[in-house]
Amino acid sequence: MTLTGHSLIAGEAVAGTEGRAFGINPSTNEQLEPAYGLVSTEQLRAATAAAADAFKPFSSLEPVRHARFLETIADNIEAIGDELIERASAETGLGAERLRGERARTTGQLRLFADVVRRGDFRGVRIDPALPDRTPLPRADIRLRQIPLGPVAVFGASNFPLAFSVAGGDTASAFAAGCPVIVKAHNAHPGTSELVGQAISRAVRDLELHPGVFSLVYGAGTSIGQELVADPAIKAVGFTGSRAGGTALMRTAAARPEPIPVYAEMSSINPVYVLPGAVRGDADALARQYVASVTGSSGQLCTSPGLLFVPAGEDGDRLADAVARALTGQAGQTMLTEGIASAWQQGFRSVESAAEVELLARGQAGTTANAPAPAIFSSNLDVFTGNRVLHEEIFGAASLIVRYKNVEDLAEATDLLEGQLTASVQATEEDYASAAALIPVLERKVGRIIINGWPTGVEVGHAMVHGGPYPATSAPSTTSVGTLAIHRFLRPVSYQNFPQELLPAPLQDANPWQVNRLVDGEAEIQPR
């Protein structure tokens, strides 16, 4: 496929007029062709106006065609082949194996949402039939469904150029809800974004949908990104990135004449708790698993474990020694951008200079550019609870081991943590009583709790929560991964005493779309 360096606005390739940006190979810091033109305010408004025009027909799309649209996007992405993997690898430094897995996750979640659309459960149909003879007062006929919010702005993430970007989870769930999408491409992987954007545009064209269903624009987040969120046509925002970036979008969205929701996934250090029984087990195996979770993808995962609570004493010493051995042979991997690598170095220096914090172990610098040596620090619980610097995320391969004396102290320390995406507990059967006391505290702090596992690796399914209290996310009642993500872009509407002729299809007695419904409190399940 040919890269044009253009934005895709309602199906048309549009040359931006407000400067240029290039992808950069982070392994070499070399500039990649072509140049990408940055859109003007007028060009952005053309995209939002087209999305507003597309909303009515797209939001009422019949389920079979709607699901086929999502599946066609997945088919088109796979049809790009190795060109997509090669370009994404050049722009991000992520290896081909990791990117092939990410592509499979991207297409898999599109097909999963296609199944959701066909079943129709997400529409949340509830019917309370009229009870005209009820005393002392009759009941009106009341029917409810979830309807899409409107056009959604999605911001591509730096660390997942496929699964959290142009056709990633935010886009897939917004499309499944019936919302047109405008994606602000991440400038670190513009070519990857264009290839995927072309795949989506072809699906729009192949299904003969309104072209405003999808647009992809290039521009600075501080200008075009903010203008996109401020545009009155936009009704919700999906974002994965830094806390500073997410909170800036939240302020813009809240200051609008019509405030809109921002679903921002931001920062998390994902604590892991090693309880006394677990620490007496195979220290080398536990250390290898921990180091692998810290260093995978150069630590540039939102679920990377930045904090490991370990008992003080001989067993804890044995685990710390095993961690040092496991990390020493690890070489740094290329980070996503020179700026991200620089921020990692700054975070490393901040923790290294903190009082009563030891650099427990450090690997080796990688042989490419922007590949700092991974690092693990060590301190004790009193120091950790008294120094907020140690609670801050270092985005990359770095983590802190915190030694504790008593299991009872862990609940108090956990109360001091900010909101997190995950918490993990390493425990044996003898630890279950301690774990049971800790879990209610964790429930108040995180979106996902893991027993005897590690936080990296997020399954895309029906029961997954990838979210948590602020600053892990801006909306702790939601998730950005899994089928529950669709509900971010819906709202309920009730229809009272409507004649059948005026009811939307899912609410009609005949149920022409064959969706599952709750009728007078009883489930009405359609055969599949």
Side-chain angles (χ1 to χ4, degrees):
M1 297 174 66
T2 301
L3 293 177
T4 66
H6 295 165
S7 293
L8 298 169
I9 296 179
E12 300 294 330
V14 176
T17 59
E18 296 298 310
R20 304 190 305 168
F22 290 87
I24 303 292
N25 185 329
S27 299
T28 62
N29 290 330
E30 293 177 333
Q31 183 174 282
L32 299 171
E33 296 290 341
Y36 279 80
L38 308 181
V39 298
S40 66
T41 297
E42 290 73 22
Q43 291 169 323
L44 179 66
R45 286 175 179 163
T48 58
D53 289 343
F55 175 58
K56 183 177 180 179
F58 187 58
S59 65
S60 57
L61 206 59
E62 189 271 336
V64 172
R65 190 174 172 211
H66 192 170
R68 186 60 195 145
F69 170 56
L70 295 167
E71 292 167 337
T72 302
I73 297 172
D75 294 343
N76 290 350
I77 290 171
E78 290 173 345
I80 301 170
D82 288 343
E83 181 183 359
L84 179 61
I85 303 302
E86 291 164 2
R87 180 70 188 201
S89 183
E91 290 183 330
T92 65
L94 299 171
E97 182 179 359
R98 148 70 199 270
L99 288 165
R100 289 192 183 97
E102 190 181 333
R103 177 176 60 188
R105 172 175 169 169
T106 305
T107 57
Q109 64 191 3
L110 284 161
R111 293 184 175 116
L112 180 63
F113 275 114
D115 291 340
V116 168
V117 167
R118 284 194 176 91
R119 285 199 311 272
D121 304 75
F122 75 99
R123 300 181 192 278
V125 173
R126 297 173 176 229
I127 298 175
D128 291 340
L131 297 175
D133 298 327
R134 189 184 68 176
T135 58
L137 294 173
R139 183 176 77 182
D141 183 282
I142 304 172
R143 305 180 182 219
L144 176 150
R145 67 166 177 158
Q146 300 281 342
I147 68 168
L149 293 179
V152 173
V154 170
F155 288 75
S158 64
N159 59 337
F160 280 87
L162 301 174
F164 275 89
S165 209
V166 177
D170 287 341
T171 298
S173 54
F175 276 157
C179 299
V181 172
I182 300 173
V183 175
K184 160 62 179 68
H186 198 288
N187 287 344
H189 41 79
T192 305
S193 297
E194 186 185 354
L195 290 172
V196 176
Q198 290 175 357
I200 299 175
S201 290
R202 285 199 306 278
V204 172
R205 187 167 58 250
D206 292 346
L207 272 293
E208 298 181 343
L209 304 179
H210 189 295
V213 163
F214 172 73
S215 290
L216 171 69
V217 298
Y218 296 88
T222 54
S223 55
I224 286 299
Q226 291 288 345
E227 289 183 33
L228 179 58
V229 173
D231 192 291
I234 298 299
K235 302 303 180 185
V237 178
F239 172 86
T240 298
S242 69
R243 188 188 308 194
T247 53
L249 296 181
M250 290 163 60
R251 286 192 295 270
T252 298
R256 291 171 34 138
E258 177 202 7
I260 59 172
V262 174
Y263 300 107
E265 190 246 287
M266 297 175 287
S267 63
S268 184
I269 57 174
N270 308 297
V272 179
Y273 301 78
V274 181
L275 298 184
V279 82
R280 288 193 289 271
D282 188 338
D284 286 323
L286 199 62
R288 286 193 299 270
Q289 293 163 12
Y290 167 53
V291 169
S293 193
V294 169
T295 60
S297 295
S298 196
Q300 299 166 123
L301 301 174
C302 43
T303 53
S304 181
L307 188 59
L308 186 76
F309 290 104
V310 174
E314 291 183 4
D315 291 328
D317 293 343
R318 189 164 53 90
L319 177 57
D321 290 343
V323 168
R325 289 194 300 272
L327 186 69
T328 300
Q330 295 286 324
Q333 304 169 35
T334 301
M335 300 194 77
L336 293 159
T337 68
E338 186 176 14
I340 289 174
S342 177
W344 185 93
Q345 294 283 10
Q346 183 178 346
F348 171 86
R349 289 191 294 269
S350 179
V351 174
E352 185 182 37
S353 63
E356 298 184 79
V357 174
E358 170 194 1
L359 179 59
L360 177 69
R362 192 160 193 201
Q364 305 163 9
T367 57
T368 61
N370 305 310
I376 291 179
F377 298 91
S378 179
S379 191
N380 63 63
L381 195 61
D382 289 339
V383 173
F384 174 76
T385 56
N387 188 345
R388 299 304 299 181
V389 169
L390 303 182
H391 295 229
E392 296 175 3
E393 179 187 31
I394 300 177
F395 187 65
S399 188
L400 173 67
I401 293 178
V402 175
R403 306 296 294 273
Y404 66 89
K405 294 179 181 178
N406 302 302
V407 174
E408 293 75 18
D409 296 335
L410 291 178
E412 184 176 346
T414 300
D415 267 333
L416 297 176
L417 292 176
E418 295 182 316
Q420 307 292 330
L421 294 171
T422 74
S424 307
V425 180
Q426 299 288 336
T428 62
E429 190 170 351
E430 69 178 90
D431 298 312
Y432 284 0
S434 297
L438 182 60
I439 286 169
V441 184
L442 297 178
E443 288 174 337
R444 298 194 294 270
K445 289 289 181 178
V446 311
R448 177 166 57 111
I449 305 170
I450 302 136
I451 299 292
N452 291 333
W454 299 92
T456 43
V458 181
E459 180 70 23
V460 180
H462 301 293
M464 176 53 62
V465 171
H466 189 62
Y470 182 87
T473 71
S474 60
S477 61
T478 67
T479 176
S480 62
V481 175
T483 58
L484 193 62
I486 194 172
H487 291 284
R488 297 174 297 168
F489 306 117
L490 299 165
R491 67 177 181 87
V493 175
S494 286
Y495 303 76
Q496 185 166 325
N497 285 340
F498 267 54
Q500 291 291 313
E501 294 83 357
L502 293 181
L503 281 170
L507 299 182
Q508 294 170 12
D509 287 346
N511 195 6
W513 286 2
Q514 296 297 291
V515 301
N516 296 335
R517 310 192 297 190
L518 196 68
V519 180
D520 209 10
E522 298 291 331
E524 180 185 272
I525 307 299
Q526 302 301 312
R528 300 295 170 192

